[in-house]
Amino acid sequence: MGYDVIVVGAGLAGLVATAEIADAGKKVLLLDQEPEASFGGQAWWSFGGLFLVDSPEQRRLGIRDSKELAMQDWLGSAGFDRDEDEDYWGRKWAEAYVDFAAGEKRAWLYDMGVRFFPVVGWAERGGYLAEGHGNSVPRFHIVWGTGPGIVAPFERRVREHIKNGLIEYRPRHRVDDLLHQNGSIVGVEGSVLAQSSVQRGEDSSREVVGNFEYRANAVLVSSGGIGGNLEQIRKNWPNRLGNPPKKMISGVPAHVDGRMLTITEQAGGRIVNRDRMWHYTEGIKNWNPIWSNHGIRILPGPSSIWLDATGQRFPAPNFPGFDTLGTLEAIQKTGYDYSWFILTQKIIEKEFALSGSEQNPDLTGKSIRQVLGRALPGASGPVQAFMDKGEDFIVANDLGDLVEGMNKLTGENLLNLAEIERQIKARDREIDHKFTKDLQITALRGARHYIGDKLIRVAPPHKILDPKNGPLIAVRLNIVSRKTLGGLQTDLSGRVLNLSGEPIPGLYAAGEVSGFGGGGVHGYRALEGTFLGGCLFSGRQAGRAIALEVKS
């Protein structure tokens, strides 16, 4: 059976591209090494946040945004400094993506049935000057239905084409090599893996039961990054972030292994910006793991006291939710791989959310009644479960017992009660008046000027050590792996470039494997809501280009 295009990887970028190619009447073979249960890849597990600019949701909340402001924020965060080489295409992709986010992105998704939670989140707040890192305004739009809600319309389109014969989907087909002929990529060969009944995200067998070879006019690689391969992360870890963590938990399943990056590089594709990556600092070990070493990220509001492993408060602007990689650098330069939040019951009830579709059953299940339940007293059900069962949580009625529990948890006895008490008391004194020199308290008060934060995200500023706000809670925070910001360098059609900067005939890439476009659309830092969006945009760009350029 002849194919026009082979797509390697059935994650979000692969599904988008496959749907676009089949819409144009081309015959597509979709291959994935995982069982069908993992259709949709990492996107299914996501919180479903998307970066949109000047949206109706923003305008209803009084947020004045613009493409110019968004581009200023993007460039300030990206810090592109390899413009004539590794960043050349990344910058072009960034400009195109911001145009997309400020233009047709929302309408395109809306026409496919995607809807958004009405309160826009404010992620990566920055804390520097106007041209520095961070979102100047809230732009984090949560898909109603979270990750599964964004996967669903593309899965539906792909399955419709499977029924009409334009797409053939083969899970448990692992690509091991790209086939060359006369300087072009003309197909793939690989291993058929044993059938597996594991559930979505669980580690699957690598037992080989057969081999395959398929040919087509073009091959699109959309196989994801290296987030599940901790060895590769440490190998590529940049010196600017300190030493690589000796202990790290995994925010993605084991199949996010980076194999196709190596295979595509061996076929002549150029990998750029290997040293750019995105890992979270607020990771907790999942008490109910799905994959090996499963970590969950806390999505924190800005009020918790953030201490390093020795009990010293991080300096501004290393506050929760402000600068992920800036705080990662600060943590790693302490010589320890973990840090601490100290907070109150009032803070956890208002400010703690957990990343992931499975940790937000109300939003994922599209239950208005359950979402309204978040306004009731007490932590949300998933957060309470971590408080009760998670190994990284300590709850106590007084600071002495809390610090004792923190020292007992690590076994290192690095924390001094008097030192921690001094710092928190100093912070609490700043609550007594409307003035302050504590920039975190300034930030809390400023955040509550935004109605979205005041309603559901930021607790009223209060004294941490006042018993009426308790009990006290400490959370040990681990580094949790997540995204590859570099990758295969591609032009705006998604064509993979070689070491000379020329497109390799027949070879395309989209999604995280291409640094979400161009080999690094984000530069050094991300603004959040841009990973799913990068998969959507790069998959669409590559899919439409292939549909135009590839002859049946």
Side-chain angles (χ1 to χ4, degrees), residues 30-50:
L30 176 60
L31 303 177
D32 197 281
Q33 69 178 354
E34 292 308 297
E36 188 166 356
S38 288
F39 202 74
Q42 292 181 66
W44 193 93
W45 294 106
S46 76
F47 192 43
L50 289 177

Side-chain angles (χ1 to χ4, degrees), residues 233-312:
I233 289 171
R234 293 187 179 103
K235 180 179 178 181
N236 293 326
W237 192 271
N239 290 332
R240 65 179 177 275
L241 295 179
N243 293 322
K246 295 178 181 177
K247 180 184 177 184
M248 189 186 311
I249 54 180
S250 183
V252 296
H255 64 254
V256 188
D257 54 17
R259 287 183 71 257
M260 284 306 301
L261 277 162
T262 301
I263 290 166
T264 310
E265 184 178 32
Q266 291 170 347
R270 185 189 185 202
I271 297 175
V272 295
N273 300 312
R274 296 175 194 265
D275 61 322
R276 295 179 184 169
M277 51 186 69
W278 188 260
H279 308 302
Y280 291 112
T281 51
E282 311 97 334
I284 49 178
K285 196 75 178 287
N286 194 344
W287 64 269
N288 187 25
I290 295 166
W291 54 80
S292 301
N293 196 31
H294 187 173
I296 296 291
R297 185 208 174 191
I298 295 169
L299 299 171
S303 298
S304 298
I305 298 289
W306 204 337
L307 304 174
D308 68 20
T310 67
Q312 298 302 307

Side-chain angles (χ1 to χ4, degrees), residues 298-365:
I298 295 169
L299 299 171
S303 298
S304 298
I305 298 289
W306 204 337
L307 304 174
D308 68 20
T310 67
Q312 298 302 307
R313 194 174 171 196
F314 285 111
N318 296 315
F319 310 137
F322 277 67
D323 180 4
T324 293
L325 290 195
T327 309
L328 176 59
E329 178 183 352
I331 290 169
Q332 290 309 115
K333 289 185 175 178
T334 68
Y336 297 91
D337 297 336
Y338 66 93
S339 59
W340 293 98
F341 278 166
I342 290 180
L343 59 149
T344 64
Q345 181 69 22
K346 283 187 176 179
I347 292 173
I348 206 166
E349 289 181 6
K350 188 92 167 184
E351 298 195 6
F352 264 39
L354 300 172
S355 183
S357 56
E358 83 285 10
Q359 299 297 331
N360 295 275
D362 51 352
L363 294 166
T364 302

Side-chain angles (χ1 to χ4, degrees), residues 127-407:
Y128 303 92
L129 300 180
E131 293 183 290
H133 170 63
N135 286 293
S136 298
V137 298
R139 296 192 178 104
F140 191 79
H141 295 66
I142 301 168
V143 171
W144 187 234
T146 66
I150 196 64
V151 170
F154 301 100
E155 178 174 357
R156 181 172 61 249
R157 289 171 63 189
V158 167
R159 293 200 183 277
E160 286 173 358
H161 284 305
I162 290 173
K163 288 179 183 178
N164 67 30
L166 279 175
I167 296 173
E168 188 171 327
Y169 166 53
R170 297 196 177 185
R172 303 301 281 159
H173 279 57
R174 184 186 70 193
V175 171
D176 298 325
D177 201 4
L178 299 175
L179 301 178
H180 296 254
Q181 184 175 312
N182 299 326
S184 298
I185 299 300
V186 296
V188 299
E189 63 180 12
S191 305
V192 180
L193 304 179
Q195 292 300 307
S196 174
S197 60
V198 300
Q199 298 301 302
R200 181 184 294 274
E202 293 180 354
D203 298 358
S204 63
S205 162
R206 292 294 176 261
E207 178 189 355
V208 175
V209 296
N211 300 291
F212 65 83
E213 179 180 306
Y214 299 114
R215 291 178 178 258
N217 294 320
V219 174
L220 170 71
V221 178
S222 54
S223 53
I226 65 172
N229 188 335
L230 302 188
E231 181 180 344
Q232 278 297 313
I233 289 171
R234 293 187 179 103
K235 180 179 178 181
N236 293 326
W237 192 271
N239 290 332
R240 65 179 177 275
L241 295 179
N243 293 322
K246 295 178 181 177
K247 180 184 177 184
M248 189 186 311
I249 54 180
S250 183
V252 296
H255 64 254
V256 188
D257 54 17
R259 287 183 71 257
M260 284 306 301
L261 277 162
T262 301
I263 290 166
T264 310
E265 184 178 32
Q266 291 170 347
R270 185 189 185 202
I271 297 175
V272 295
N273 300 312
R274 296 175 194 265
D275 61 322
R276 295 179 184 169
M277 51 186 69
W278 188 260
H279 308 302
Y280 291 112
T281 51
E282 311 97 334
I284 49 178
K285 196 75 178 287
N286 194 344
W287 64 269
N288 187 25
I290 295 166
W291 54 80
S292 301
N293 196 31
H294 187 173
I296 296 291
R297 185 208 174 191
I298 295 169
L299 299 171
S303 298
S304 298
I305 298 289
W306 204 337
L307 304 174
D308 68 20
T310 67
Q312 298 302 307
R313 194 174 171 196
F314 285 111
N318 296 315
F319 310 137
F322 277 67
D323 180 4
T324 293
L325 290 195
T327 309
L328 176 59
E329 178 183 352
I331 290 169
Q332 290 309 115
K333 289 185 175 178
T334 68
Y336 297 91
D337 297 336
Y338 66 93
S339 59
W340 293 98
F341 278 166
I342 290 180
L343 59 149
T344 64
Q345 181 69 22
K346 283 187 176 179
I347 292 173
I348 206 166
E349 289 181 6
K350 188 92 167 184
E351 298 195 6
F352 264 39
L354 300 172
S355 183
S357 56
E358 83 285 10
Q359 299 297 331
N360 295 275
D362 51 352
L363 294 166
T364 302
K366 302 182 180 181
S367 170
I368 295 173
R369 182 183 61 82
Q370 287 183 306
V371 169
L372 291 174
R374 293 192 180 215
L376 298 174
S380 68
V383 171
Q384 187 63 53
F386 271 91
M387 290 176 67
D388 295 339
K389 304 173 185 179
E391 65 182 66
D392 295 305
F393 281 74
I394 300 158
V395 181
N397 287 318
D398 88 9
L399 187 63
D401 291 341
L402 191 78
V403 173
E404 182 180 351
M406 294 162 74
N407 277 325

